[in-house]
């Protein structure tokens, strides 16, 4: 019987470099599952996408390890050239929102076992203009925190790194005038923050995207926060986001499969916690069940 081929792409620096302590065990798990393994540690930002796009079609399974940004890169590469190839994920970042949504274990060895012996799950993925994102596209307040926070600080402080960096920016809160179009409506307003998500948590906060999130239903959850008129409004907004207590006067929350954002000035976006470029027009579409990802066999009702 021909041996199956597995490509293992990992970020050696993610999450305090913890992959180093588990690498031999992980590869051993892959080999015992019947795979011939090729391991590729990434050398620079963006390389995981290049490796996946170039090589994925030659393999039966691509497993990646790192933070959500590494997963984003691998999925971006695979979607370009080999969308039929399944993906396994061993989380090693500081928040791992998407892994939590799929109930992928925090233990690297257990996640490795799920990657080769779990169940295949068809998950939605996002098209963002010509790019791909796995679980969140966002703009505005706090969105630049993730990619402006140094890796060393992320490793040491985890969630607190995001919060501390965000607090520094409250004094310079900026809003953006936008025209937003979906299949059902057109909204024009000034916004402080916006996120288009397919996840049960963002930044480690569970429930912030809504109560009934299905990762394979073909729609995204959209949260748009209007510009606050004063500091009291801003505090109310932050409290409402954290508690997922929808404040109709301050925010829009809805589901959609396609959404278009138009702004007069270039606006910076983040895709899965990494810089997604500056744009005046963005079209986001849900590619229903386009990503085939391995999940633990016991993961129910995602």
């Amino acid at each position: 019987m021909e041996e199956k081929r597995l490509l293992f792409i990992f970020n050696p620096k993610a999450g305090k470099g913890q992959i180093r302590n588990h690498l031999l065990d992980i590869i051993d798990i892959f080999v015992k599952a019947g795979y011939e393994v090729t391991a590729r540690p990434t050398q620079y930002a963006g390389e995981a996408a290049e490796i996946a796009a170039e090589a994925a079609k030659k393999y039966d399974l691509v497993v990646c390890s790192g933070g959500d940004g590494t997963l984003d890169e691998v999925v971006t590469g695979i979607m370009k050239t080999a969308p039929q190839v399944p993906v396994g994920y061993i989380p090693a970042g500081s928040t791992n929102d998407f892994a939590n949504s799929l109930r992928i274990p925090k233990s690297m060895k257990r996640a490795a076992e799920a990657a080769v012996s779990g169940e295949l799950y068809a998950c939605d993925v996002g098209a963002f203009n010509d790019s791909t994102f796995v679980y969140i596209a966002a703009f505005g307040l706090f969105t630049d925190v993730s990619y402006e926070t140094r890796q060393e600080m992320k490793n040491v402080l985890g969630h607190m790194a995001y919060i501390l960096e965000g607090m520094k920016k409250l004094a310079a809160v900026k809003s953006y005038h936008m025209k937003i179009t979906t299949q059902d409506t057109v909204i024009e307003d000034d916004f402080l923050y916006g996120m288009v998500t397919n996840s049960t948590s963002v930044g480690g906060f569970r429930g912030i995207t809504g109560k009934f999130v299905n990762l394979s239903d073909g729609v995204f959850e959209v949260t748009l926060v209007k510009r606050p008129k004063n500091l009291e409004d801003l505090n109310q907004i932050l409290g409402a986001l954290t508690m997922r207590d929808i404040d109709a006067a301050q925010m829009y929350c809805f589901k959609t499969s396609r959404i278009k954002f138009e702004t007069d000035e270039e606006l910076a976006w983040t895709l899965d916690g990494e810089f997604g470029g500056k744009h005046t027009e963005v079209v986001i579409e849900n590619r229903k069940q386009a990503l085939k990802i391995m999940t633990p066999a016991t993961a129910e009702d995602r």
Side-chain angles (χ1 to χ4, degrees), residues 12 24 48 63 66 76 89 122 132 159 165 172 204 228 249 263 270 277 292 302:
L24 289 177
V63 180
T76 295
Y89 182 36
T132 297
H159 300 317
E165 289 291 312
T263 54
T270 176
K292 310 298 186 284
R302 274 163 289 260

Side-chain angles (χ1 to χ4, degrees), residues 274-287:
E274 304 296 326
F275 184 55
K278 292 185 175 182
H279 310 270
T280 55
E281 186 173 304
V282 163
V283 176
I284 295 174
E285 295 182 295
N286 187 297
R287 298 176 64 185

Side-chain angles (χ1 to χ4, degrees), residues 18 25 40 157 175 200 262 265 268 301:
Q18 59 179 308
D25 287 334
R40 287 288 303 269
L157 294 173
S175 63
T200 59
E262 296 171 272
E265 59 180 312
D301 52 61

Side-chain angles (χ1 to χ4, degrees), residues 92-169:
S94 44
T95 52
N96 304 315
D97 287 310
F98 193 65
N100 293 337
S101 298
L102 291 172
R103 294 180 172 80
I104 292 172
K106 289 185 174 66
S107 157
M108 298 189 91
K109 287 168 68 174
R110 286 177 54 218
E113 287 163 0
V116 289
S117 308
E119 293 180 344
L120 205 55
Y121 178 65
C123 183
D124 298 344
V125 74
F128 177 97
N129 289 350
D130 296 327
S131 302
T132 297
F133 67 95
V134 177
Y135 76 96
I136 183 171
F139 69 85
L141 183 68
F142 296 134
T143 54
D144 56 351
V145 169
S146 179
Y147 50 79
E148 284 187 3
T149 305
R150 297 192 318 276
Q151 185 67 51
E152 295 82 1
M153 191 173 176
K154 283 187 194 177
N155 291 346
V156 172
L157 294 173
H159 300 317
M160 285 304 296
Y162 297 97
I163 293 165
L164 289 172
E165 289 291 312
M167 292 304 287
K168 291 178 191 172
K169 297 174 186 300

Side-chain angles (χ1 to χ4, degrees), residues 44-55:
Y44 51 85
E47 191 187 20
E50 296 168 11
I51 295 169
E54 183 183 329

